Amino acid sequence: MARAGSGIFGRWAAGLLGAVLGGIALLLLLDRAFPPDLSRLETVGRVVVDREGRTLSALPAPGGVWRLPVGAEEVPPHLVELLVAAEDRRFWRHPGVDPIALGRAAFQWARAGRVVSGGSTLSMQAARLLEPRPRNLRSKAIEAFRAVQLEWRLGKPGVLRAWLTLAPMGGNLEGVRAGALAWFGRPVERVSVAEAALLVAVPRRPETLRPDRHAEAARAARNAVLTRRGAPALPEAERVAALAEGMPDARRRMPGLAPHLSRQVAREVSGDVLRTTLDSGLQRAMEGIAREAMAGLPERGSLAIVVADLRTREARAVVGGEWLAEGRAGALDLTRAVRSPGSALKPLLYAMAFDRGLARPGSVMEDLPRLFGDWAPENFARGFSGRVTAASALRQSLNLPAVALMEALGPIRFASAMKRLGAPPRMPPGAGAALPLALGGAGVTLRELVGVIAAIGDGGRGGALRVLPGGAPFEGEAVVRAPAADAVAAILTQGFPGGGPEGVAWKTGTSWGGRDALAVGFDARHAAGVWVGRPDGTPIPGATGRSLALPVLARVFAALPMAPRAVEGTVAARAAGSAPVDGLRLLFPPSGAVIDEGAVTIRAAGGRRPFTFLVDGVPFASGGARREAGWVPPGPGFYRVTVLDADGGAVSAAVRVRGGE
């Protein structure tokens, strides 16, 4: 008998094993023949975040649905605990279908003659969210099969991801990330226990539990989730506060900072959450500055701003224009538009000239009419300043000295340096690098221009701006040597007209006809640029970089953390390896002085030797190490006396020489 019994048991066990294996084989065949449709889970919007992970922009899924992806590992633990307690207490123990819950639902249905509880697990709910169907028994059977498939294919984390991403939150909102942004105005990572409970409750009846329309119903549903068995245990004071917490009374706008850059990144980078190098607080401040400035611009005028970290070349704020503004080409990213830089490239030209020994800050140059082949460039103000130092010529943005330096340096060499800086010059059709490059005769973008000016502020290290984090730390290529770059930085470090932050080096640019007004600058930590103009390229009458763009640049640096550069004398002394020197001063004659005919001794103080003395722009004496020089006025009249030092510092005084009695 024992042998017969053991034989029967063996046959029974073998049969059971065969049935199990057959069932598994059938499930595998069905799974392969009828795979779940995951397209809704894969057709999602994108979230763009700043360097610290703070939300900049949310971009909707196709069709305008706010379906933003999120996984269980990205939400607070109390949200998952509330969800499991409210919807599927045995979630972690069943394979997708809960026989106990289904049996209870069937019994209640049979006894009451109607559906009392659905018996759906979170896995079955996820299946229904992926493939919505009519609510009937056939659909329930399909959902049960799909639930097992989802558990098999995605595991518990994948099932939670599907629910958290697809759960309806009212209107065109789907998922807890979109719900948190729309109802609370904060990322889902930072929702409170009460807010998490509302996100769990709303999907049960998303239109009748919308908190902005049905506040009391939403409150009751939320509090039911909070008090459900298995919900996170809270201290009594926190529990009372959570139950009393108010309902959102309106749906908030989705975050939309840096809209142009966000869409650029979404086109170029894969992933659900896209990290950038921006700073959300600074981006918000720059967009505010831009809005206020654009309110005062002429019709169709627009504005763009770029702020970058000087050392890493990472963009911290990018304002591409007024997003979708009618008449301002609001869909275009004007930080990437190719425009003429005007005189804003002159700092690079002078740095290269200083680096190659073609000039130094104190070199005397001629700002006088001259032909370069058949081209006769003029200054913006149409006049000429005579003999000036290179430092003064750069500060005044004089054109003739710049073109002369370009001729000596070579436009091809200059264009090559621009390419190495990540700013390849776009020439007119059929044209090559030529002398007009000195005055903006090629196109660059504002982002590229900020990269060029950053190289001047960073000791000559060149490199394009970056908007995406990661990769090797920025090292840069030495386009010019540090002493030359520092000399130009010292020349450009001056106060803003009308006041503003101190210790900022800046330069303006104006393209032909007032089509582009630019200002770029840097302090010890940041580089920034502002473009003002009309996107369609039509001129703004009277527009200049100094009048339109520079005041905005002053506001940009006023909004940045203070990081002033050293004053000119200190920078020059550091470059020379010596102690700082006093600022150059003219002791005699003072400005406005009236002096008699005869010999006059001009005296200077401070500054760095050697010194050059000029009257009306014409040198008359090189004092060398001496701080004074004798001058005999040629006759009565008005004169301008100037003293220059070795660093290009210049001080002047207007005097009148009166005739004999």
Side-chain angles (χ1 to χ4, degrees):
M1 291 293 294
R3 290 180 180 175
S6 61
I8 294 171
F9 177 78
R11 288 194 296 274
W12 178 84
L16 178 62
L17 178 60
V20 170
L21 293 175
I24 293 175
L26 179 60
L27 285 175
L28 289 174
L29 287 173
L30 290 173
D31 178 67
R32 176 169 296 184
F34 304 102
D37 183 359
L38 302 178
S39 58
R40 293 193 74 240
L41 187 59
E42 296 164 352
T43 308
V44 293
R46 320 282 286 282
V47 179
V48 183
V49 300
D50 76 354
R51 57 199 296 258
E52 302 294 339
R54 296 169 294 198
T55 302
L56 288 168
S57 279
L59 308 178
V65 178
W66 291 105
R67 183 187 305 130
L68 304 175
V70 62
E73 71 283 357
E74 300 173 77
V75 304
H78 55 251
L79 195 158
V80 175
E81 292 173 20
L82 287 165
L83 175 62
V84 170
E87 299 294 337
D88 188 359
R89 285 188 292 115
R90 285 177 288 276
F91 172 71
W92 302 108
R93 299 194 296 275
H94 64 64
V97 176
D98 185 353
I100 297 175
L102 285 177
R104 182 182 66 246
F107 175 77
Q108 292 172 338
W109 174 70
R111 187 175 64 177
R114 59 183 177 84
V115 175
V116 176
S117 64
S120 290
T121 63
L122 280 174
S123 309
M124 294 171 68
Q125 293 181 35
R128 185 166 62 248
L129 292 170
L130 283 166
E131 301 175 77
R133 288 185 172 82
R135 305 294 295 274
N136 54 42
L137 288 177
R138 179 177 181 276
S139 297
K140 185 72 70 174
I142 294 174
E143 288 167 9
F145 170 65
R146 293 296 194 206
V148 175
Q149 278 187 299
L150 293 179
E151 293 264 356
W152 180 281
R153 286 172 172 257
L154 307 179
K156 297 293 185 183
V159 169
L160 286 174
R161 179 180 181 85
W163 195 98
L164 294 169
T165 299
L166 300 175
M169 293 289 162
N172 64 343
L173 301 173
E174 293 186 9
V176 296
R177 187 183 293 280
L181 292 171
W183 298 128
F184 315 126
R186 64 170 59 91
V188 70
E189 290 87 347
R190 295 196 287 112
V191 295
S192 68
V193 172
E195 291 166 343
L198 183 62
L199 295 177
V200 169
V202 169
R204 293 179 171 180
R205 300 192 308 277
E207 294 309 316
T208 59
L209 293 179
R210 280 185 58 158
D212 60 333
R213 297 179 181 175
H214 308 283
E216 290 309 312
R219 185 193 305 275
R222 180 203 65 186
N223 289 354
V225 171
L226 283 171
T227 56
R228 187 90 172 188
R229 184 162 64 93
L234 297 174
E236 182 61 18
E238 291 185 27
R239 187 184 71 84
V240 171
L243 291 170
E245 195 169 301
M247 288 287 109
D249 56 6
R251 175 172 161 172
R252 299 168 183 259
R253 293 182 62 181
M254 285 295 183
L257 290 175
H260 299 90
L261 180 67
S262 294
R263 283 155 180 81
Q264 174 202 339
V265 171
R267 287 191 301 269
E268 298 176 355
V269 181
S270 61
D272 297 332
V273 179
L274 310 176
R275 190 177 291 267
T276 69
T277 63
L278 300 192
D279 180 293
S280 60
L282 186 58
Q283 178 70 29
R284 185 175 290 106
M286 294 301 112
E287 290 186 14
I289 290 172
R291 275 193 303 272
E292 293 178 10
M294 276 190 274
L297 292 181
E299 183 184 6
R300 305 192 320 279
S302 194
L303 180 149
I305 299 172
V306 174
V307 180
D309 185 289
L310 188 67
R311 306 301 178 194
T312 67
R313 298 299 199 279
E314 291 181 342
R316 294 288 182 250
V318 176
V319 181
E322 187 175 357
W323 177 243
L324 296 183
E326 186 176 355
R328 298 185 193 264
L332 297 180
D333 184 351
L334 298 173
T335 69
R336 305 176 79 191
V338 177
R339 310 295 295 234
S340 167
S343 295
L345 288 174
K346 286 177 180 174
L348 174 61
L349 173 61
Y350 277 78
M352 293 181 69
F354 292 169
D355 195 38
R356 292 183 168 271
L358 301 175
R360 59 181 179 82
S363 297
V364 176
M365 307 184 72
E366 290 189 344
D367 181 43
L368 297 168
R370 177 182 168 188
L371 279 174
F372 294 86
D374 57 357
W375 181 40
E378 295 180 330
N379 287 318
F380 184 81
R382 303 295 190 215
F384 298 93
S385 299
R387 292 185 175 182
V388 294
T389 64
S392 181
L394 177 55
R395 282 198 194 96
Q396 298 179 58
S397 200
L398 301 177
N399 287 344
L400 271 295
V403 176
L405 285 180
M406 181 65 78
E407 183 181 50
L409 180 68
I412 294 177
R413 181 176 288 115
F414 185 76
S416 175
M418 288 182 63
K419 290 179 182 178
R420 290 161 60 198
L421 287 167
R426 285 77 160 185
M427 312 294 181
L435 295 182
L437 267 176
L439 310 183
V444 296
T445 70
L446 182 62
R447 292 195 202 180
E448 293 166 350
L449 190 58
V450 171
V452 171
I453 201 67
I456 303 300
D458 192 24
R461 294 192 311 154
L465 298 190
R466 302 191 289 184
V467 298
L468 299 174
F474 175 78
E475 294 183 358
E477 177 187 3
V479 179
V480 295
R481 285 173 289 187
D486 286 348
V488 171
I491 292 168
L492 297 177
T493 302
Q494 51 193 316
F496 284 99
E502 296 292 333
V504 178
W506 55 265
K507 182 72 184 74
T508 60
T510 306
S511 69
W512 182 80
R515 287 170 169 80
D516 306 280
L518 297 115
V520 292
F522 52 88
D523 60 13
R525 290 176 52 191
H526 315 92
V530 174
W531 172 88
V532 181
R534 286 182 171 139
D536 61 6
T538 56
I540 296 178
T544 66
R546 192 178 184 91
S547 65
L548 288 184
L550 190 59
V552 180
L553 187 70
R555 292 193 60 193
V556 167
F557 277 99
L560 292 171
M562 289 186 60
R565 295 184 61 83
V567 297
E568 177 181 322
T570 303
V571 172
R574 185 174 68 246
S578 59
V581 294
D582 294 334
L584 181 64
R585 306 185 303 280
L586 185 61
L587 297 180
F588 187 86
S591 187
V594 179
I595 57 180
D596 295 327
E597 286 187 283
V600 177
T601 300
I602 300 173
R603 293 187 177 88
R608 195 162 66 90
R609 299 176 177 86
F611 301 94
T612 302
F613 298 84
L614 305 89
V615 173
D616 291 342
V618 179
F620 71 90
S622 178
R626 294 175 56 83
R627 298 181 182 273
E628 59 183 43
W631 170 54
V632 179
F638 292 90
Y639 299 89
R640 187 171 190 82
V641 178
T642 302
V643 180
L644 310 174
D645 73 354
D647 297 318
V651 288
S652 300
V655 301
R656 180 170 73 88
V657 176
R658 60 188 173 192
E661 296 297 336

